Amino acid sequence: MAQIAKLETKAEITNPPAKVYDLLKYNLNKFVNLFPQVFKSIKLIEGEEGHAGNVKIVEYVIGKAMSAKVKTEEINDEERSMIMRVVEGEVLQLYPTFLCKISVSDGFVNWSIEFEKTKDSTPKPDAYAQVHSHVTKLMDLYLLTN
């Protein structure tokens, strides 16, 4: 059995943590307009926005156009954190386990990707970590003016 690995990214924010967390929790679909070069579509297909158990179809471009069915497994408002798992999509061909944990604190958004490689030669999902960092910076700038 392959081992679960972790890749972490910490990105600075200047907005209040609650404002950033609310955007991530309730308005992820805004990423399509904010980051059209990466996110092509984000559609809620099951459950309710902002609640654990919801499922979204995300169409995105990281190297190539892909899609993923993503389930929000956990939301912890006290810690301002969420856990989302990819349950279907191309990324699972390289990483049969792909889980993203997001936590927002004073001055930072912490992104953690837990993944399992299909084989030892499979590269780490560094491109996803880079996108998380870039998206956080642009999201922070957007929230400063909105």
Side-chain angles (χ1 to χ4, degrees):
M1 178 154 172
Q3 188 172 359
I4 300 291
K6 189 183 278 192
L7 183 61
E8 297 189 73
T9 305
K10 188 174 188 175
E12 282 189 51
I13 56 171
T14 55
N15 283 281
K19 190 173 184 180
V20 174
Y21 177 67
D22 282 351
L23 178 66
L24 291 166
K25 181 179 174 184
Y26 294 109
N27 295 297
L28 209 56
N29 60 333
K30 284 191 176 190
F31 279 25
V32 174
N33 293 325
L34 296 174
F35 316 109
Q37 68 280 16
V38 176
F39 296 98
K40 302 305 179 188
S41 172
I42 300 175
K43 294 178 185 165
L44 180 69
I45 61 166
E46 189 177 308
E48 191 175 334
E49 195 70 61
H51 294 280
N54 74 42
V55 178
K56 295 178 177 130
I57 299 290
V58 181
E59 294 178 0
Y60 63 99
V61 176
I62 295 182
K64 64 178 183 172
M66 295 182 275
S67 67
K69 185 187 243 184
V70 180
K71 181 175 184 176
T72 303
E73 291 192 339
E74 184 179 309
I75 294 177
N76 185 325
D77 290 334
E78 192 173 303
E79 295 180 6
R80 291 188 200 102
S81 66
M82 300 185 299
I83 298 174
M84 295 179 279
R85 179 182 299 273
V86 176
V87 294
E88 288 179 21
E90 291 90 347
V91 72
L92 296 180
Q93 293 172 2
L94 293 173
Y95 313 103
T97 299
F98 200 87
L99 180 85
C100 183
K101 295 181 181 181
I102 306 166
S103 63
V104 183
S105 58
D106 287 330
F108 296 97
V109 176
N110 295 299
W111 299 83
S112 175
I113 301 170
E114 292 183 12
F115 61 97
E116 173 187 3
K117 296 179 181 184
T118 51
K119 53 189 172 191
D120 289 340
S121 61
T122 301
K124 293 191 304 184
D126 290 326
Y128 287 84
Q130 291 170 356
V131 165
H132 291 156
S133 181
H134 181 68
V135 161
T136 301
K137 290 173 188 168
L138 294 178
M139 176 180 56
D140 194 45
L141 287 172
Y142 165 77
L143 289 173
L144 285 172
T145 58
N146 291 286

